[in-house]
Amino acid sequence: MRKLLADWFEDRTGLSGPLRSMREEPLPAGPRWRYVCGSALLAILLIQAFTGLMMMTAYSASSSTAWGSVFYIEKQMWMGWFIRGMHHFGAQAVMVLLFIHLLQVLFAAAYRAPREVNWWLGLVLLVLIVGFGHTGYQLPWDQKGYWATKVVTNIMGGAPVLGPYVKTVVVGGSEYGNQTVTRFYGLHVGILPVLLAIVLGGHLALRYRHGLKPPADAADVPPDAPRATYFPDQTFRNSLVVTAIVGVLIGLVLWEGGAPLDAPADPASPDYPARPEWFFRFLFQMLKSFPGRLEWVGSIAIPGALMTTMALLPLLDKVMPSKLLHFLACTLAFALAGGALFLTIASFREDAGNPSFQEARTKADAANERALYLAAHPDFGIPPQGAGFLLRFDPLTRGGDLLEKKCLGCHRVDGKGTGDQSAPDLKDFGSYAWIRGLLEKPDAEAYFGKAPECDGMTEWKKSTKLDAEQLDQVAEFVATFAKIPADQSVDEWLNTPGVADHPGNALFQKDCGKCHLIDGYTEGGVRDAPDLFAWGSPRWMKRMIRKPSEAGLYGYLEAKQRMPAAPPDDMPESDVDMIVRYIKGDYLKPAAKP
């Protein structure tokens, strides 16, 4: 029955003969470890194809859904983290194996006749695989992929004559967005795989047509040596190496817990420390020698010249002494490899010693950790508008950024600011700790020490008779103001249980109410001071941001001493809410580690 099926298959397909000839391909010099690289590269490419197909079942190619779908693959899909991790580290293994294979073929002089066409097809494969790396890099639409893509396409657009047109076609217009994702996705899973299959098929066909190039010592093999064939002699070595490489990939995936996923792409964060993968670091470092409009020289002209030189090797071999050309080609390869290694190390060392980069990297890592936490949290998740709004809707991230840009030129938060301090520190503003510190030392830098025009509290401190226990009671009482609801009046608040009989109530009226007027509760008037009703609450803080010069706030100060107002045209209500929630600590927080 088995022979019957085999005969039927051979009669219908005629494949048994070619398959048998591939298995029984003679190896005059015996099996060699130097032959394993091509087979290993093919095996990893097959793994890339399989894992890529698996991810395609869950990936959504649009600027609003790409990051969320990759997050789903990484965090929720069964074995998704493993599949994506294998694809991620497999891509790096492909680049390494491709480089080794190229050097091995060059050292063996396998570009000579009759293998010229196969050499050229190998160079085309090199370009296609680099294309896979660049297009796949962008598909998660995270910070790393977005900014790396922007750098690459900007360099592309800087090329003479056709550069701007090519950039427009690749990006899908003048703006990076949905068209950019879909075009890179189409290239990555549609056009490039088809081209790779065609070129790789031709490469393999020519490899079997011409066979493996015998090593230089093939003539030294004794005539009576055992006859070696590709299967099982060479296949055994290939299998060992492929198994070892796959084992390393699996180990990396388990060690890292999958593949990294940065925070969602944010075009409004130009300080992101964009860096390419380690195997492109040498090119990144080299481009620093070609600033501005000269970038295309380092990124296009020089690599293009090297590719052209390699492509011309088979032709030059016919007009130059073969040994001299081979020596020069190998010398150039060693020099380029050494230069690439030097530039790669220099790039990492430069970043390690760059405080600005380290600060930006720390900030980016914090944003990444925050984004992953929010996306996984059942009370937050990825917004319907897309992952790009994930951190925009987070008071910790968005509120902190707004506070830094709008407020920290004068204020401080835990001693940190962007300009000369002239206003209180907002850390824990509205809390008992903040109030108690103010009552204890109002002229401290964290309070009004940097605002001499607001010296009322300092003068009060000199004359007050309140002891430490009484100051504690006043601080506890004032801290309750932050909890007054937005729609509650003074009368309603006074009738709230726990207000009238609070031990700090009478002390506040007697000592603080002399200056601070609360209509229907304290008289004020001894000295100009703001109305403290609902002080520290969102309603009071929003009022302070919008209209700090109101009579009930700091309208008594001279114009140049007042806090600038933030009208709705300059700061929408959503931004004000983010700042207030950030100061109040009203955002999701990870559970404290035991």
Side-chain angles (χ1 to χ4, degrees):
M1 184 64 179
R2 181 179 178 183
K3 185 177 184 304
L4 182 64
L5 289 174
D7 292 341
W8 177 87
F9 182 78
E10 169 64 17
D11 181 62
R12 297 301 189 274
T13 65
L15 290 177
S16 296
L19 291 175
R20 187 182 303 109
S21 65
M22 291 168 60
R23 294 196 309 269
E24 297 175 359
E25 178 185 8
L27 301 175
R32 298 293 176 103
W33 291 109
R34 62 189 294 180
Y35 293 150
V36 304
C37 195
S39 298
L41 180 57
L42 177 61
I44 303 304
L45 285 174
L46 292 175
I47 291 176
Q48 291 300 95
F50 175 76
T51 53
L53 285 171
M54 292 298 99
M55 289 192 292
M56 283 177 65
T57 63
Y59 180 75
S60 179
S62 80
S63 58
S64 60
T65 59
W67 192 91
S69 64
V70 175
F71 176 83
Y72 170 80
I73 293 170
E74 187 71 28
K75 303 297 182 181
Q76 298 178 359
M77 189 173 88
W78 183 78
M79 292 297 289
W81 64 275
F82 183 81
I83 293 170
R84 182 166 176 262
M86 288 294 290
H87 198 77
H88 171 76
F89 290 108
Q92 301 185 37
V94 165
M95 296 303 300
V96 173
L97 290 171
L98 185 66
F99 177 73
I100 296 174
H101 187 51
L102 177 65
L103 291 181
Q104 178 254 320
V105 172
L106 181 64
F107 295 157
Y111 54 81
R112 293 172 178 166
R115 297 178 176 83
E116 303 101 313
V117 176
N118 217 20
W119 169 256
W120 291 328
L121 289 178
L123 295 180
V124 175
L125 284 174
L126 170 63
V127 174
L128 292 176
I129 289 176
V130 170
F132 269 107
H134 279 305
T135 54
Y137 205 61
Q138 178 262 1
L139 295 182
W141 204 241
D142 59 357
Q143 284 282 70
K144 186 175 183 179
Y146 174 85
W147 289 105
T149 300
K150 194 163 186 177
V151 169
V152 170
T153 52
N154 283 339
I155 293 173
M156 187 185 304
V161 187
L162 295 178
Y165 301 101
V166 174
K167 176 186 174 183
T168 300
V169 171
V170 172
V171 173
S174 59
E175 299 293 332
Y176 296 80
N178 203 60
Q179 287 292 320
T180 312
V181 178
T182 54
R183 294 192 183 201
F184 272 71
Y185 184 61
L187 284 170
H188 193 73
V189 306
I191 296 176
L192 289 177
V194 171
L195 294 176
L196 180 69
I198 294 172
V199 177
L200 185 59
H203 189 71
L204 292 174
L206 290 177
R207 172 255 178 271
Y208 284 107
R209 175 179 174 82
H210 301 300
L212 295 169
K213 188 176 188 306
D217 60 352
D220 300 334
V221 178
D224 57 346
R227 178 177 177 271
T229 57
Y230 198 85
F231 180 85
D233 300 295
Q234 185 61 41
T235 306
F236 176 72
R237 297 194 178 200
N238 294 349
S239 300
L240 283 180
V241 172
V242 170
T243 301
I245 293 173
V246 172
V248 171
L249 294 181
I250 293 174
L252 288 171
V253 174
L254 296 177
W255 179 266
E256 294 292 334
L261 177 62
D262 218 324
D266 181 12
S269 59
D271 59 340
Y272 179 82
R275 293 293 186 274
E277 290 288 1
W278 61 268
F279 44 80
F280 287 135
R281 276 287 191 129
F282 73 95
L283 183 60
F284 169 79
Q285 188 69 11
M286 184 179 70
L287 289 179
K288 295 179 181 179
S289 301
F290 301 93
R293 294 190 175 186
L294 294 178
E295 276 188 332
W296 69 274
V297 176
S299 60
I300 298 176
I302 293 179
L306 292 174
M307 289 294 293
T308 302
T309 301
M310 288 193 292
L312 291 175
L313 285 178
L315 303 180
L316 293 173
D317 189 66
K318 300 181 184 302
V319 297
M320 291 179 61
S322 294
K323 290 187 177 180
L324 174 62
L325 178 65
H326 186 237
F327 173 77
L328 293 176
C330 291
T331 301
L332 178 63
F334 273 115
L336 292 175
L341 179 62
F342 172 79
L343 290 172
T344 300
I345 295 174
S347 177
F348 281 106
R349 291 187 64 181
E350 186 176 308
D351 284 346
N354 186 341
S356 298
F357 172 81
Q358 295 299 327
E359 181 181 354
R361 185 68 262 168
T362 300
K363 184 179 178 181
D365 290 341
N368 179 30
E369 184 178 351
R370 183 67 179 173
L372 295 175
Y373 168 75
L374 294 174
H377 200 285
D379 295 333
F380 203 97
I382 299 174
Q385 296 89 334
F389 290 85
L390 187 64
L391 294 179
R392 297 185 207 177
F393 290 169
D394 174 37
L396 176 61
T397 305
R398 177 66 176 168
D401 289 343
L402 288 168
L403 191 75
E404 181 177 350
K405 294 175 183 177
K406 303 288 187 179
C407 309
L408 296 191
C410 299
H411 286 280
R412 291 288 183 273
V413 172
D414 199 16
K416 299 176 182 178
T418 59
D420 295 331
Q421 183 181 1
S422 60
D425 195 308
L426 298 177
K427 184 178 186 296
D428 298 327
F429 181 79
S431 68
Y432 166 80
W434 197 95
I435 302 163
R436 187 63 182 85
L438 172 67
L439 297 177
E440 186 65 35
K441 191 172 178 57
D443 59 348
E445 290 188 1
Y447 302 105
F448 295 111
K450 292 290 186 176
E453 64 275 9
C454 299
D455 60 349
M457 290 291 295
T458 303
E459 294 300 321
W460 163 83
K461 183 64 177 177
K462 296 176 181 178
S463 60
T464 184
K465 304 299 183 184
L466 298 180
D467 57 26
E469 182 180 357
Q470 290 173 322
L471 290 176
D472 290 342
Q473 293 171 348
V474 171
E476 291 172 0
F477 181 65
V478 176
T480 65
F481 292 7
K483 300 177 183 179
I484 296 176
D487 58 350
Q488 194 173 64
S489 66
V490 175
D491 290 338
E492 291 171 334
W493 169 68
L494 290 172
N495 291 321
T496 302
V499 173
D501 56 353
H502 193 287
N505 179 20
L507 296 172
F508 178 85
Q509 284 184 295
K510 178 183 178 181
D511 239 54
C512 306
K514 293 185 295 184
C515 298
H516 293 282
L517 170 65
I518 298 180
D519 191 30
Y521 176 54
T522 61
E523 296 183 359
V526 173
R527 184 164 181 153
D528 290 328
D531 183 345
L532 294 184
F533 179 65
W535 177 88
S537 67
R539 68 192 271 193
W540 192 94
M541 294 170 68
K542 290 179 180 180
R543 179 181 162 211
M544 183 67 192
I545 292 172
R546 288 293 191 207
K547 300 178 180 180
S549 298
E550 277 189 350
L553 294 174
Y554 289 90
Y556 60 88
L557 296 176
E558 295 182 16
K560 65 179 181 180
Q561 297 173 334
R562 298 172 189 166
M563 171 178 155
D569 291 342
D570 181 55
M571 187 184 295
E573 193 62 30
S574 59
D575 285 354
V576 174
D577 185 62
M578 286 289 163
I579 291 176
V580 170
R581 291 182 62 185
Y582 175 83
I583 295 173
K584 298 289 293 180
D586 181 18
Y587 45 79
L588 290 174
K589 304 178 183 68
K593 296 181 180 180

